[in-house]
Amino acid sequence: MPFFDTHTHLNYLLATTQQPLTQLMEESQQAGVEKMLVVAVQAEDFKNIEKITALYPQRLYYGLGLHPLYIKQHRVADLELLAKRLANPPKNLTAVAEIGLEKGVPELLTPELWQKQCEFFEAQLSLAKANQLPVNLHSRKSHEDLYRFLKSAQLSVTGVVHGFSGSYEQAKRFIDLGYKIGVGGVITYARANKTRETIKRLPLDSLLLETDSPDMPVFGFQGQPNRPIRLINTFKILCELRSEPPEIIERVLWQGSCLFG
Ligand SMILES: [Zn+2]
């Protein structure tokens, strides 16, 4: 069974490493990483991501969105551009991503900027709903707020809370709303006890694998840009945590990932 990296910033990885895309795609395929979802963080990314993913439309899917970490720079015109792109999507534009809330950076929590975060998030949830596309969600120290927005948005096609870190109860609430939980490199660190315990206990069909490359390096590769092939490191740890056999885990992960491609 192949693997699907459900959250990567491939455009930034290529810019950082200067590796040719053909080589990256080749090495990913050899490692079994057949498909990827490339997600945007700002309007400036849109063109480049479209260009990259158009070269491998069977393997590279993409999401467009405005990330909360860059909330200061987003403009209403960016939302309009996003709406335009989503209204007429090519086949491999399969998500609104990366969107969400960020409470881990104090300077983004002034009343004005928090208000702007909430407004941009809500607007993008509406676009996802109108276009029946799943969302790929960022949530740092903001699970409560995120939950509140998702609950009132009532998307018919849901999505994933990416790179999840948190308690079983927090994860379970998202799952009960119909969302999946993105499992990233964090579980490769022994110190991530709480998140490991969470991932161990959640229903297998609620989990998706991701790298968030070039961010979130897996254990043993700190200080290096993370890459889609490291998905396998995370998969191995997941297999150690879970009671199901690896073949079953692989199959269920793949089936769940088809949400994005
Ligand atoms: Zn990301």
Side-chain angles (χ1 to χ4, degrees), residues 70-114:
Y70 304 87
I71 194 65
K72 278 188 191 165
Q73 71 185 55
H74 300 324
R75 299 165 305 152
V76 174
D78 297 337
L79 275 179
E80 288 162 3
L81 181 71
L82 177 63
K84 227 163 111 186
R85 292 293 216 275
L86 296 175
N88 215 339
K91 250 193 167 156
N92 59 338
L93 170 50
T94 58
V96 178
E98 174 175 354
I99 66 170
L101 297 170
E102 170 64 60
K103 274 192 154 176
V105 181
E107 63 170 293
L108 301 182
L109 287 176
T110 60
E112 308 82 74
L113 284 177
W114 175 246

Side-chain angles (χ1 to χ4, degrees), residues 7 9 39 41 67 98 138 162 212 215:
H7 189 112
H9 300 274
V39 296
V41 299
H67 193 296
E98 174 175 354
H138 173 97
H162 111 83
D212 204 8
D215 300 328

Side-chain angles (χ1 to χ4, degrees), residues 79 82 96 99 117-129 149:
L79 275 179
L82 177 63
V96 178
I99 66 170
Q117 280 201 48
C118 293
E119 283 170 11
F120 272 68
F121 183 40
E122 210 168 16
Q124 293 182 91
L125 287 175
S126 300
L127 286 174
K129 190 172 187 170
F149 278 104

